[in-house]
Amino acid sequence: MRVRASAKLAQSLDRGWTLPASWYTDPAVHREEKNRIFHRAWQYAGLTDDLRNHGDFLTYQAGDVPILVVKDAKGSLQAYINVCRHRGSVLVNQERGRRKSIQCGYHAWTYALDGTLLAAPGENGEPEFDRADFSLIPAQVDTWGPFVFVNPDEGARPLAEYLGPLPQMVSDTGLDLRGIRLARRDTYDIAANWKVVLDNYLECYHCPTAHPAFSHLIDLDQYEIQEFPYFSAQSGPVLANAREGREGLYEIGPGVESGFYAYFWPNFTLNIYPGPGNVSLNLILPIDADHTRVIYEYCFVDSVDEAAVDEFHAFLDQVQREDIALCESVQRGLHSGFVDQGRLLLSRESALRHFQKLVYRSLTQ
Ligand code: FES
Ligand SMILES: [Fe+2]
């Protein structure tokens, strides 16, 4: 059936054929992806800036698993499955905030920030009830610079093993992640499968047709793609005309020399555009087989002023809107039943193959 290992499919992926259309449209495949990818992988959940003080929290949805990250009294980050041990209500529904303790909104079971159950109203005299049996269930949390990652799987290998050389490659661009601050956060809802959104991210073959502004910025003839076990990176130098300000784009100025665009398995991308310190983060959240929510976080170093942030934000928002139209068009086409496997141009689209093979491996092993 849909996600059984098949030597024929594996070989076709190697040769540049895409995953079958049903993998992008079938709710059963989507359920498998939640179980085998999103319930087991490290996922970017937010910025350490949101977790500076005792009691600060943020929430994240890893497939069907809600996760809560809190800063505890000792100053460490703790992550829990964000589900009450009484009868399973999601505990914290806000995205971010600060709390002294975690109280369920249903019957007011109250947990300390270290996850222990402090009180269950009416518990006195209840036979065989021991609060110690009902601590919150831990999840994994770790950081890379200002980025907080979570993993619902307690047995998963450490984040650093998956990141490999990515942190070094980011620092080699010249951007100092310690200096960045969040300036804007946008949410886009897209009527396309999450893999369509990432496929689109992973090639710039479409850039000359679809992104005139981007194509006037980056030298696509010198565009490079590198692949690692759990991430891939695309990079390209700025065109001379853009550097000299003749293309009417955002003001580039001094700073990072090349565009650097990294995809980290399964649903995080990190984009560094030429110019003064900026990094934009995209979090790709599957909603169902046909819908995806993308969260864009625009971060800058303090020296970038408000007008430059506006200009850059408008530039990227335009690129993103162009991409959304493309992704939604692909999703409609995949539903037609007339294209099963597409054919990649591997000289331009090898990072899609890299991604699709990770999907294939995760669903079939
Ligand atoms: S479900 Fe949380 S207190 Fe009842
Ligand atoms: Fe694009």
Side-chain angles (χ1 to χ4, degrees):
M1 80 116 223
R2 302 117 167 167
V3 289
R4 208 167 281 155
S6 137
K8 192 163 155 260
L9 177 54
Q11 281 160 12
S12 71
L13 294 175
D14 275 334
R15 296 203 316 271
W17 294 89
T18 64
L19 290 168
S22 63
W23 287 47
Y24 293 85
T25 56
D26 185 339
V29 174
H30 184 64
R31 273 197 298 279
E32 282 296 292
E33 289 175 339
K34 285 194 281 193
N35 285 330
R36 291 173 170 268
I37 299 173
F38 291 92
H39 297 173
R40 299 179 182 187
W42 284 99
Q43 290 153 75
Y44 169 74
L47 293 161
T48 52
D49 259 1
D50 283 329
L51 298 166
R52 268 189 300 229
N53 301 301
H54 172 210
D56 284 353
F57 69 83
L58 60 79
T59 56
Y60 176 77
Q61 184 76 20
D64 286 335
V65 183
I67 293 188
L68 172 68
V69 183
V70 297
K71 181 99 159 197
D72 70 13
K74 296 190 189 118
S76 335
L77 297 182
Q78 303 293 342
Y80 305 108
I81 307 300
N82 184 17
V83 175
C84 182
R85 295 292 309 275
H86 175 219
R87 275 183 29 226
S89 174
V90 171
L91 273 172
V92 178
N93 288 291
Q94 301 98 308
E95 288 177 359
R96 286 170 187 76
R98 184 177 302 166
R99 291 190 176 184
K100 291 200 177 75
S101 59
I102 305 154
Q103 186 172 70
C104 180
Y106 199 172
H107 314 90
W109 281 29
T110 303
Y111 303 86
L113 299 178
D114 68 4
T116 52
L117 180 61
L118 293 173
E123 69 188 285
N124 288 342
E126 182 68 21
E128 292 174 47
F129 181 83
D130 184 350
R131 268 187 244 146
D133 294 338
F134 299 100
S135 296
L136 293 178
I137 297 165
Q140 291 206 67
V141 61
D142 204 349
T143 55
W144 156 27
F147 309 133
V148 178
F149 287 80
V150 294
N151 192 330
D153 180 3
E154 272 246 279
R157 299 201 317 277
L159 172 66
E161 282 187 29
Y162 289 88
L163 289 172
L166 180 57
Q168 186 59 46
M169 288 169 72
V170 167
S171 99
D172 289 347
T173 65
L175 179 71
D176 185 355
L177 286 177
R178 286 170 305 185
I180 62 156
R181 295 282 170 273
L182 181 70
R184 304 277 160 83
R185 182 181 280 124
D186 289 342
T187 299
Y188 300 91
D189 283 322
I190 306 177
N193 184 273
W194 69 283
K195 301 190 294 303
V196 169
V197 175
L198 276 164
D199 285 349
N200 174 70
Y201 175 87
L202 287 166
E203 47 89 1
C204 211
Y205 185 27
H206 70 280
C207 294
T209 334
H211 304 309
F214 184 86
S215 304
H216 287 130
L217 173 71
I218 300 291
D219 186 348
L220 298 177
D221 289 334
Q222 294 192 55
Y223 209 68
E224 273 186 31
I225 299 169
Q226 291 176 278
E227 295 166 16
F228 298 83
Y230 291 98
F231 73 94
S232 60
Q234 307 172 68
S235 55
V238 170
L239 284 166
N241 276 359
R243 164 85 51 216
E244 286 155 21
R246 291 208 294 267
E247 295 293 346
L249 306 167
Y250 73 91
E251 181 99 26
I252 294 173
V256 172
E257 291 293 321
S258 292
F260 177 83
Y261 312 101
Y263 157 69
F264 179 59
W265 170 258
N267 66 334
F268 177 60
T269 78
L270 175 153
N271 309 287
I272 299 168
Y273 278 81
N278 69 81
V279 57
S280 45
L281 312 169
N282 309 354
L283 185 56
I284 291 95
L285 299 168
I287 304 295
D288 60 28
D290 289 311
H291 297 91
T292 302
R293 175 161 297 161
V294 177
I295 298 175
Y296 253 68
E297 293 180 329
Y298 297 89
C299 303
F300 297 88
V301 293
D302 286 338
S303 58
V304 178
D305 66 28
E306 197 54 27
V309 170
D310 281 345
E311 197 179 31
F312 183 80
H313 177 258
F315 167 76
L316 276 194
D317 181 66
Q318 174 62 30
V319 173
Q320 175 66 355
R321 285 176 196 285
E322 290 160 355
D323 279 329
I324 289 173
L326 300 172
C327 291
E328 294 188 340
S329 173
V330 168
Q331 190 72 14
R332 291 195 302 275
L334 290 172
H335 270 286
S336 70
F338 281 89
V339 171
D340 183 27
Q341 288 181 271
R343 172 61 159 87
L344 301 174
L345 249 68
L346 289 175
S347 59
R348 312 290 188 92
E349 298 176 295
S350 64
L352 271 86
R353 174 175 65 177
H354 170 263
F355 164 59
Q356 296 190 4
K357 285 172 69 171
L358 281 169
V359 172
Y360 175 80
R361 207 174 74 200
S362 301
L363 294 198
T364 57
Q365 276 184 358

